[in-house]
Amino acid sequence: MTMENYSECISVSANPEAAYHALTQGIAQWWTKPDHPIAKVGDRAKFTFPPGKSYWTFEAVTLIPGERVEMKCVEALHLHEGQPREIEQEWLGTKVIWQIWREGDRTEIALEHIGLKPELLCYDICRQGWDFFFADSLKAYLDTGIGKPHTGN
């Protein structure tokens, strides 16, 4: 039996255009600094986390300003001490989809990480990561202008 993908939704004070910008050009302000910007479909960006060796490369699949950002993981190397080697490639082929819409005077952003399911070795680690970077850091960035991105190597 397959469980649900990771998903979460936040409500922010920023408008949909600012949310879209944060999910494409402004990722370094709330997640981690990519090696290349995401500006158009087909762009690829590598996101590296501590200890500076774990990374995920995403390719922009769908970009609809103010509405939707979809990226597919095309390279993955998740090094996590004490975990089997299978964890390294678990994000490969997964998709991260952000849906953006206006609800009254708020902007709603829904994240679904298709393929990030509870049966994966990395699920608990990655769920905690998304809970922090999406639900906490991105929300803070869009509400106050100050996110909590990873800034190490």
Side-chain angles (χ1 to χ4, degrees), residues 7 17 25 40 42 45 53 99 102 110 117 129 132 140 142:
S7 63
E17 292 71 26
Q25 302 293 305
K40 65 186 184 310
K53 296 178 183 173
Q99 304 258 43
R102 196 72 176 164
K117 299 176 180 287
F132 176 76
L142 290 172

Side-chain angles (χ1 to χ4, degrees), residues 68-128:
R68 183 180 178 98
V69 174
E70 180 178 340
M71 296 189 288
K72 181 177 181 178
C73 184
V74 295
E75 291 182 308
L77 182 62
H78 183 187
L79 302 174
H80 197 75
E81 191 173 321
Q83 292 288 335
R85 290 197 65 170
E86 292 81 20
I87 199 172
E88 294 178 7
Q89 300 287 305
E90 285 186 319
W91 277 30
L92 190 61
T94 66
K95 286 186 179 179
V96 177
I97 300 172
W98 288 282
Q99 304 258 43
I100 307 163
W101 69 96
R102 196 72 176 164
E103 187 80 32
D105 64 347
R106 308 283 295 171
T107 297
E108 306 294 315
I109 307 169
L111 163 63
E112 183 175 16
H113 189 156
I114 297 175
L116 181 56
K117 299 176 180 287
E119 60 263 25
L120 296 183
L121 294 168
C122 75
Y123 184 79
D124 288 334
I125 300 160
C126 296
R127 177 185 49 79
Q128 291 172 18

